[in-house]
Amino acid sequence: MPQLIRTFGRIVARHGVVLVAWYLGGEALHELLVQLAGFVGGHTTLGGLLLLPLAVAARLASYVAMYLSVRPALPHIAAPEHSGPREFGAAILPAILPFFAFYAAWGMLTADQIEFMNIAARIALEEVALDATQLGDRGGLITAGVLPITVLVVALAARFAFSRFSGRLPTWTLILATYAEVLWTFMLFTLVGQWWGDALDWATTTAGAQWFDGIGDWFAANIAVVAVVWEAGTWAFGILIAAVIVPAAWLLVAGVIYGTTFESAVPRMLRTATESRGSAAILARTLTRRFEDLWAAMAVIWRSGPVLFGGYALAYCLWALAEQVGTRGVLQAIGGHDTDFWAAYLPLILVGVAAIAEPLRVAIVATAYDSVIARPGSGLEPREPGGHVLSELDGEADDAAILIGDVEPERP
């Protein structure tokens, strides 16, 4: 426990100001890119759709930078061989998938899309004098149709091309490869979210769903015990998400950013990648490595043990409670104002509170990750962030990425 407190205090004391700066920079860039995407989407939906993922990437980049900036204060995580932009680029690629999943699950992706579509629709309607029949390819309306699917396929093909020809491409193409990864991941979660929403809407209109709702209402009205049990189960599920799943998700993101190796491999995944040849092998390795990073990060959570993870979850819940109490206290101190005041200043007030809360969350998560690495018998070791991902993009040799049997015959 004293070691955990010292690590947490060292992070806050040495890197607190830097964490605040990274967070505010990411939020400012995120809002700027959403506004820019909405403006462009008012003239062409495709152009806005290509820019909107960068807004999510801005937040991702700020969190990756925050976790990397506190790395020197973590005693059990060695410094990487490559620092600066190379370290950052190698860490951000494997973090895209879990961060986007968390971002979409918490509704932040939908919020960005709604803001984007509101801005784009307002600009487009002004351009056509409120004649919706003249909108054409503008207005920022994102539907699960041909356009997002086409963008997804093209982005995934581009990502595959960067992996296939990485040895012949200059290092700066890492930026384009990262953008392709962000774009296809963004479109994937956008389409999945829309399809899932449509499926739920359809399910709620079926006769079976209406009959089930009627049965539930009858039990609630006539058998109080069933209603109490149901409400208690709903409350317990919410507590489980807030107290366990959310802290575990953030620890997962930190584990992917820092990188972890462990003795338990994923035999089926490795065998599938090994059996693939040529272009199929590169695509298989590209996708498999993402899940290997996730598997390694989940091992961090599993091998932390109930005592350590329980203490971390308790600290996270106390942080969440303090954030809510602090936000409410700030709003009460400001007092009552009209709607225009809150529309103009509420976002800034919330960002100001978050500028203090988010660095503390990063410090808590990073401290927990470092303590898991230090736990005896965990079988976990930190590696350079991104590890083989770096070599995949800049063409350097990487023995860990070479699979048995992945040899093509020499040609003239």
Side-chain angles (χ1 to χ4, degrees):
M1 182 62 69
Q3 176 63 38
L4 296 178
I5 296 176
R6 286 195 297 269
T7 301
F8 177 81
R10 186 163 54 246
I11 291 174
V12 174
R14 296 182 182 179
H15 308 282
V17 176
V18 175
L19 292 176
V20 172
W22 275 118
Y23 175 76
L24 292 177
E27 287 299 305
L29 187 57
H30 167 266
E31 186 61 29
L32 178 63
L33 288 171
V34 170
Q35 296 290 331
L36 178 61
F39 175 79
V40 175
H43 299 86
T44 166
T45 299
L46 177 59
L49 200 57
L50 296 177
L51 287 174
L52 186 57
L54 295 177
V56 184
R59 274 184 171 161
L60 168 62
S62 69
Y63 277 101
V64 170
M66 290 167 73
Y67 279 105
L68 292 182
S69 65
V70 304
R71 188 185 183 103
L74 303 178
H76 301 100
I77 299 181
E81 298 178 4
H82 305 285
S83 59
R86 290 167 63 85
E87 178 193 9
F88 183 80
I92 199 171
L93 271 172
I96 290 174
L97 181 61
F99 184 84
F100 268 74
F102 183 82
Y103 202 82
W106 237 242
M108 292 183 285
L109 183 63
T110 301
D112 286 348
Q113 292 172 345
I114 292 175
E115 184 178 1
F116 160 74
M117 287 188 287
N118 289 338
I119 298 171
R122 183 176 67 251
I123 295 175
L125 289 174
E126 291 176 356
E127 290 287 331
V128 298
L130 303 180
D131 185 5
T133 60
Q134 302 297 322
L135 283 177
D137 178 32
R138 59 177 119 183
L141 183 61
I142 304 175
T143 59
V146 177
L147 180 60
I149 295 177
T150 302
V151 173
L152 170 63
V153 173
V154 172
L156 189 58
R159 181 66 184 88
F160 165 71
F162 281 115
S163 298
R164 180 68 177 85
F165 303 104
S166 60
R168 308 175 190 176
L169 298 175
T171 304
W172 62 266
T173 56
L174 174 66
I175 300 175
L176 299 179
T178 304
Y179 173 72
E181 183 90 3
V182 167
L183 184 58
W184 81 261
T185 307
F186 174 89
M187 295 313 306
L188 175 64
F189 282 104
T190 296
L191 292 172
V192 169
Q194 291 176 352
W195 290 333
W196 178 250
D198 293 341
L200 290 180
D201 292 340
W202 172 83
T204 55
T205 59
T206 60
Q210 295 175 359
W211 175 82
F212 187 77
D213 288 341
I215 293 295
D217 294 339
W218 182 87
F219 273 106
N222 295 278
I223 306 179
V225 176
V226 175
V228 171
V229 171
W230 178 261
E231 292 297 330
T234 304
W235 176 82
F237 182 73
I239 293 297
L240 177 66
I241 292 178
V244 177
I245 297 180
V246 175
W250 277 108
L251 196 61
L252 176 67
V253 171
V256 171
I257 292 174
Y258 289 129
T260 303
T261 58
F262 58 106
E263 68 264 11
S264 300
V266 193
R268 178 58 189 168
M269 295 170 60
L270 295 178
R271 184 165 63 252
T272 300
T274 302
E275 293 171 354
S276 305
R277 300 296 182 89
S279 299
I282 295 178
L283 179 60
R285 287 199 298 269
T286 300
L287 298 178
T288 300
R289 284 168 183 168
R290 298 297 174 265
F291 291 100
E292 288 175 355
D293 289 322
L294 289 176
W295 183 269
M298 285 189 288
V300 173
I301 300 173
W302 177 257
R303 302 188 183 193
S304 61
V307 176
L308 182 56
F309 183 79
Y312 158 66
L314 177 60
Y316 189 94
C317 291
L318 292 176
W319 168 88
L321 177 62
E323 183 196 26
Q324 293 181 2
V325 172
T327 302
R328 179 175 298 180
V330 170
L331 295 178
Q332 290 177 347
I334 294 175
H337 293 277
D338 56 21
T339 305
D340 294 336
F341 173 87
W342 291 116
Y345 294 104
L346 181 59
L348 295 177
I349 295 172
L350 296 180
V351 169
V353 175
I356 299 175
E358 290 301 318
L360 293 177
R361 169 156 58 183
V362 170
I364 292 173
V365 175
T367 301
Y369 179 85
D370 183 74
S371 63
V372 173
I373 293 294
R375 184 170 176 264
S378 65
L380 303 171
E381 295 180 355
R383 58 168 169 77
E384 181 180 349
H388 45 255
V389 178
L390 182 65
S391 61
E392 173 193 346
L393 294 172
D394 64 10
E396 290 184 357
D398 186 0
D399 295 336
I402 298 176
L403 301 176
I404 300 175
D406 188 20
V407 179
E408 297 184 0
E410 183 179 1
R411 296 182 177 86

